[in-house]
Structure formats: structure tokens, C-alpha cells
Amino acid sequence: MSARVRAAGMATFNEGRICVEKHQVIIAGAGPAGATCAKALHDRGIDVLVIDRARFPRHKTCSGVLFGQTQVLLRSYFGSLPPASVYCTEPEIKASAIREWKPDAGYCRYVWEIDKDGQAFPDVYHNIRRADFDHWLIAQSGAQFREGCSLSAAHSGPDGLRITVRDGGRESRLACDYLIGADGGNSTVRKILDPRWAVDSPTVLAYQTYNYFQSAGDLPAGQWAVFFKPEIGDILCCVHQKDDTLVLCVGGFKRRSLKKSMQAFREFLTRAFGVIFSDQKRDEGCLIRMAPPNPGRDRVLLAGEAGGFIYLNGEGISAAMDSGHRAAMSVAEALQSGGSALNRYQAGSADIVAHMQTCMQQLHFLSAGPPA
Ligand SMILES: Cc1cc2nc3c(=O)[nH]c(=O)nc-3n(C[C@H](O)[C@H](O)[C@H](O)COP(=O)(O)OP(=O)(O)OC[C@H]3O[C@@H](n4cnc5c(N)ncnc54)[C@H](O)[C@@H]3O)c2cc1C
């Protein structure tokens, strides 16, 4: 669909004594899903506002690796890979350098990404600073972007949707024809659509630390080492280098203390590989809800992790970008030709859901079964 829908700008109207700002599309969340969705809509002349509760550049718990599919999607949806300023000092991780370590057998190849729909992807991955990457991505979208603006409520109005936001401590009202929930793994938009989701879904918590180090010991340079140690975490734990730090990641279902897991992982790396850590630079954590994908309801579409679009092992930037793009195309077509954006989106994202299932069958992620 190349035709411009309307060279639209933001409109305002009064509702009672309140002045309401109206856009064709509002996107909550400016991560990879929101930024990719925004770019596709903006490129088609659609009036889109992106809001994010954070101010950019902001940290997001992530290993910060652009896998092969992500690189393909970046070229396709953004026309290029990110600039050099986004890459770490060791800019590449080869797929063959991601290795699982087994106490009895040593290192063996660990497959993180698999072919999709018969398409193989580049097998040299990019080691990036996630905060800078996301900042670049949303800037590339060209869309209006309001930082420090958090969506707190949404409901149907007489002629579209009404969104309540908190912006700099002040509550205000926005209106739109379509809302895209691209607000990540703890999505407020998804909770509004499905209040049971946050309560009922099995949830994995992930915790990362960035550690200065005196020696990486026997950890091979340039490798990303993966371990399955149920005594440390319920999912794989891993370590790789980012600039002058070693990034350690552990994860587990609720009730596990991930601070203790992290301490145990550090001690294991020192004992088994001779790693000598110095100070911790920073830490970060987030949750991943293991619920089936949900494309949304009526004129509210969910993209990226908010919609449950994440490939196993937390390879989520590609699924986020791809679902964000498909959501945008569905809305653009509905605005131009009528019909249901949601139905289009559901049909148009079926291959992402199918690939998620293939990943579930073929990749190894848990170190033990989920809790009863
Ligand atoms: C430990 C770990 C490591 C990972 N490593 C990788 C990796 O190396 N490569 C990879 O491809 N994927 C990785 N992932 C997955 C990847 O980080 C996510 O899948 C991806 O960020 C999802 O993108 P998104 O746009 O859906 O959401 P996010 O990137 O989470 O963006 C959501 C945005 O919404 C904003 N927001 C939240 N609530 C609101 C609100 N109420 N109003 C407005 N804004 C809001 C947030 O501030 C945020 O900016 C990893 C995940 C984890 C947990």
C-alpha cells in the first residue's frame, strides 16, 4: 500500500471544558515494536503520535544483540543498520561463538536463532548498546514522539478511542482512531484489554548485571557462554562482553531470589573459569510473561512483547519490529480501504506465531520444568 492516506496533522476538539488532542493513531511505547510501527505509519502520511513513559535514551533489560533476522528487518523497514556509535567495542558475535558449556563435555555449539519460512539469516550478530539503539530507532521513525508520557487508561468514546496519559505529573486526555499497545512485557494496554493476563500467565523474571573485571579467566574472548544450571536459574544463564564489562544474565520463575542466583553465577564463573570480577557497573531486571500471543481487540492492536510476540531465548527485537510493522500496515490499509485492521493483523502476523511455535519445539531454554 503506497498511497498516502491523508497528509494529516494533529487536531483538537473540546469535550466539555477539556481540550482533547486527536491523532489518527497513538502508539504507547517507543521500543522496537513502537518505533517500527511509527515509521511505517509516518511514511504513509498517517498522523501518528508515539508516547513513552521513559525519557530516551533509556535502559531496557537486554543482551543487546541484533540477531540475523533483526538485521534483515532493519534493512527492510529502516533502510540500513544502525550507525557505528551504537555498537560496542567488540561489535560482532558469530553464531558459532555462542556456546553451551557442559561440565563433562566442555563447550558445544548452542543455537540461538533458526531459519524462518525457509529463510536463513546472517550468522554474524551485532553487539550493541540497547539504549542508544532504541534512541536511534525512534528518531529514524520521523513520527511525533512524546517522552515521559505514560498511558494509564483507555476506553471507547463516541467517535474513537479516549486515552488518559500522565505527562510530567499532569493528567491529560488524548483521542485517536487506533491505539497500538507496544508497551512491552508488562503492558498497561494489554492489562486494560485482558485484566487476567498479568495475574494468570506464568512469568519468568530476568536479571542482568554489568560487571567490570580484572580477568575473564578461561572464558574465550568473543564468545557468548550459555549454561543450564538448575541450582542457579530456571532458564539458561549466560555471559558475554559488552565494552569494558561482562554482562551476566540469570532468570527464574517467581519465588526464586535472582540476587542469590546472580551471586551463585559469579562464584561459579570465578571457581570454574578463573574470572576475576571488580565492581558492578549497573544492574537491571524485567519480566517475561509466557502467555499465547494476543493481537488485540477492536481498534486496539498489541505489538511486540505487549502482544506476546517474542521468540524463545528472548530473541525479541525481530519479533517486536516485525509485529509492529504488520500492525502498522493493517491500520494503514483499514484507514484507506475500510474493514477490520485487527482481522488483517491477525492474518498478517500468523507466520510470526508459527515461528514462535517452531522455536518452542527446536530451542532449549529452561533448565528445569516450569513450577507446578
Ligand atoms: C534478559 C533479556 C535479554 C534479551 N536479549 C535480547 C537480545 O539480545 N536480542 C533480542 O533481539 N532480544 C532480546 N531480548 C528481548 C527484547 O529485549 C524484547 O523482546 C524487546 O525489547 C521487545 O520490544 P518491545 O518494543 O515490544 O518492548 P520494549 O522494548 O520493552 O519497549 C516498550 C516501551 O514501552 C514503554 N512503556 C511501558 N509502559 C508504558 C506506558 N504505560 N505508557 C507509555 N509507555 C510505556 C517502555 O518505557 C518501553 O520504552 C531480551 C530480553 C531479556 C529479558
Side-chain angles (χ1 to χ4, degrees):
M1 207 212 65
S2 59
R4 295 200 145 219
V5 174
R6 146 179 140 197
M10 176 264 285
T12 57
F13 62 90
N14 287 325
E15 205 162 57
R17 298 173 66 175
I18 302 173
C19 177
V20 180
E21 177 184 320
K22 176 156 191 200
H23 298 268
Q24 284 179 295
V25 184
I26 291 177
I27 301 174
T36 311
C37 187
K39 173 147 178 58
L41 290 167
H42 179 73
D43 285 353
R44 284 159 183 79
I46 294 167
D47 162 38
V48 53
L49 171 71
V50 187
I51 61 170
D52 200 295
R53 72 174 171 202
R55 293 197 178 276
F56 280 50
R58 59 92 179 91
H59 289 301
K60 152 82 183 81
T61 309
C62 185
S63 303
V65 175
L66 303 181
F67 292 96
Q69 187 182 176
T70 310
Q71 297 168 38
V72 171
L73 295 176
L74 279 165
R75 287 188 198 282
S76 169
Y77 298 153
F78 285 82
S80 75
L81 295 171
S85 57
V86 163
Y87 293 80
C88 298
T89 45
E90 321 67 34
E92 291 183 348
I93 298 178
K94 294 190 175 65
S96 58
I98 305 182
R99 292 177 169 251
E100 178 183 347
W101 184 82
K102 296 181 178 172
D104 41 353
Y107 286 111
C108 56
R109 176 86 190 271
Y110 179 77
V111 176
W112 205 289
E113 182 178 52
I114 53 179
D115 299 357
K116 176 172 180 283
D117 307 327
Q119 185 187 359
F121 302 111
D123 60 2
V124 177
Y125 306 148
H126 297 165
N127 197 15
I128 49 111
R129 296 182 201 99
R130 181 65 201 268
D132 297 334
F133 172 72
D134 283 20
H135 199 194
W136 172 78
L137 213 57
I138 188 62
Q140 293 302 110
S141 78
Q144 292 179 71
F145 177 34
R146 201 164 293 165
E147 307 174 67
C149 180
S150 177
L151 178 145
S152 54
H155 65 271
S156 295
D159 54 353
L161 296 161
R162 297 287 182 276
I163 313 294
T164 307
V165 296
R166 288 202 72 77
D167 191 351
R170 217 169 48 89
E171 196 168 274
S172 58
R173 186 68 61 86
L174 302 171
C176 58
D177 297 321
Y178 289 92
L179 170 66
I180 311 290
D183 49 343
N186 200 21
S187 167
T188 303
V189 179
R190 187 157 177 177
K191 283 180 206 158
I192 292 167
L193 294 187
D194 176 9
R196 296 296 313 169
W197 165 70
V199 184
D200 294 342
S201 313
T203 301
V204 172
L205 302 166
Y207 179 53
Q208 286 199 152
T209 53
Y210 291 68
N211 306 273
Y212 295 116
F213 59 101
Q214 289 171 29
S215 167
D218 299 333
L219 286 180
Q223 278 203 14
W224 190 356
V226 174
F227 306 86
F228 288 90
K229 295 184 77 60
E231 68 277 20
I232 294 181
D234 302 307
I235 62 168
L236 58 80
C237 40
C238 54
V239 53
H240 75 298
Q241 192 172 341
K242 230 173 227 310
D243 296 322
D244 51 357
T245 59
L246 288 177
V247 183
L248 273 57
C249 181
V250 297
F253 293 102
K254 278 182 186 159
R255 287 198 295 267
R256 189 185 270 272
S257 160
L258 292 185
K259 295 246 166 170
K260 283 187 187 156
S261 293
M262 184 59 73
Q263 185 57 29
F265 191 28
R266 278 174 69 115
E267 285 166 11
F268 165 71
L269 291 175
T270 299
R271 199 171 54 247
F273 296 92
V275 179
I276 304 174
F277 291 103
S278 43
D279 292 347
Q280 184 177 302
K281 183 178 185 185
R282 68 181 178 88
D283 64 349
E284 59 194 13
C286 71
L287 50 81
I288 305 172
R289 296 196 196 282
M290 301 175 82
N294 177 345
R297 199 169 67 214
D298 301 329
R299 286 170 170 246
V300 182
L301 272 50
L302 297 167
E305 258 195 85
F309 297 105
I310 177 169
Y311 299 126
L312 201 66
N313 287 351
E315 192 243 308
I317 299 175
S318 57
M321 290 180 63
D322 219 3
S323 58
H325 184 81
R326 315 291 177 95
M329 297 306 285
S330 307
V331 166
E333 285 168 18
L335 282 167
Q336 187 179 49
S337 317
S340 163
L342 181 63
N343 288 349
R344 283 189 175 92
Y345 182 43
Q346 204 152 11
S349 55
D351 61 308
I352 302 176
V353 177
H355 189 56
M356 287 174 63
Q357 282 157 1
T358 309
C359 292
M360 290 284 275
Q361 286 153 11
Q362 294 188 17
L363 296 179
H364 181 24
F365 179 62
L366 296 175
S367 35

